[in-house]
Amino acid sequence: DGGITQSPKYLFRKEGQNVTLSCEQNLNHDAMYWYRQDPGQGLRLIYYSQIVNDFQKGDIAEGYSVSREKKESFPLTVTSAQKNPTAFYLCASSIQGAETQYFGPGTRLLVL
Amino acid sequence: GIQVEQSPPDLILQEGANSTLRCNFSDSVNNLQWFHQNPWGQLINLFYIPSGTKQNGRLSATTVATERYSLLYISSSQTTDSGVYFCAGLNQAGTALIFGKGTTLSVSS
């Protein structure tokens, strides 16, 4: 089946620890995105990538890092510099630009 | 200022009722889209509607781009319609979506 997968579904982070969230798509989409969602809020853009080996900061990139070594994969690392990482993280992809984006099931990150 | 604003923030309906959700968007946002987020967090595209009207079953959407608003109509609501409805528009650079804060819909039987 074609689609976007994210793993893990739930992730627990200890203080000072870096954690990496996985996002994979087999839709042959060029562009991929990471969003953060806090309770009662809309989605806010963390990073996006329109092509392999290139990515751009979104509105709330501080404390996060990404890589785009393959078209299918766009992992997000939540670093220890992110002081309030507890949130729901959603990955998306699109064919061109951001006209219509398709979303993965999300990862819930909790701080221990 | 606020680029994408949704109303109402919360909506409670009895099954079978109709509803209208509104999205106002600023000049810096275009190419409106509507999404539904189910209680498990999955976000589903409903409509890509930069202008005009589209219908899909019990749902329809209208965007009046010149007046910077879009409406999502839900008719004969069902419990499975519950969740959060987001509208989002493309930023001026055309690189990312700007989301509103959503309307939380609860439909009871």
Side-chain angles (χ1 to χ4, degrees):
Chain A
D1 287 347
I4 303 173
T5 58
Q6 292 186 240
S7 62
K9 191 172 183 178
Y10 296 94
L11 185 57
F12 299 92
R13 193 191 93 163
K14 295 179 181 178
E15 291 288 337
Q17 187 182 36
N18 292 354
V19 292
T20 297
L21 285 60
S22 169
C23 178
E24 304 277 332
Q25 54 97 2
N26 61 3
L27 300 169
N28 200 33
H29 286 172
D30 293 307
M32 297 186 74
Y33 311 82
W34 274 106
Y35 292 90
R36 169 179 172 140
Q37 185 179 20
D38 294 284
Q41 301 294 316
L43 280 65
R44 292 183 291 166
L45 184 66
I46 305 172
Y47 269 98
Y48 66 97
S49 167
Q50 294 189 307
I51 196 169
V52 174
N53 292 322
D54 185 57
F55 48 83
Q56 306 295 329
K57 292 182 179 180
D59 299 324
I60 56 166
E62 186 175 351
Y64 301 97
S65 65
V66 293
S67 63
R68 186 86 187 278
E69 296 177 2
K70 298 187 300 181
K71 188 175 185 178
E72 303 79 23
S73 179
F74 191 40
L76 173 74
T77 296
V78 184
T79 74
S80 57
Q82 173 48 247
K83 297 307 178 188
N84 185 22
T86 296
F88 187 49
Y89 292 86
L90 287 155
C91 177
S93 69
S94 67
I95 295 173
Q96 283 185 342
E99 284 191 356
T100 303
Q101 295 185 11
Y102 298 90
F103 285 81
T107 292
R108 293 193 186 277
L109 176 60
L110 299 169
V111 176
L112 295 177
Chain B
I2 297 175
Q3 294 178 292
V4 179
E5 191 169 24
Q6 293 186 241
S7 61
D10 300 283
L11 192 54
I12 300 173
L13 299 175
Q14 285 286 327
E15 206 168 23
N18 303 328
S19 61
T20 301
L21 283 60
R22 185 178 179 102
C23 176
N24 294 332
F25 54 99
S26 68
D27 290 343
S28 60
V29 171
N30 286 293
N31 295 344
L32 240 288
Q33 304 181 41
W34 284 95
F35 295 87
H36 175 229
Q37 187 172 42
N38 67 23
W40 298 272
Q42 180 71 57
L43 213 64
I44 304 295
N45 306 68
L46 295 176
F47 295 102
Y48 171 70
I49 186 159
S51 63
T53 298
K54 290 185 178 179
Q55 182 158 5
N56 185 4
R58 295 181 296 103
L59 272 60
S60 64
T62 296
T63 297
V64 183
T66 53
E67 296 186 25
R68 319 305 295 175
Y69 74 88
S70 183
L71 302 174
L72 178 69
Y73 304 97
I74 304 174
S75 65
S76 304
S77 58
Q78 300 176 358
T79 56
T80 52
D81 295 331
S82 297
V84 185
Y85 291 81
F86 290 104
C87 68
L90 201 59
N91 63 8
Q92 285 188 320
T95 54
L97 288 172
I98 309 296
F99 282 80
K101 292 188 176 183
T103 292
T104 300
L105 175 64
S106 299
V107 181
S108 57
S109 57

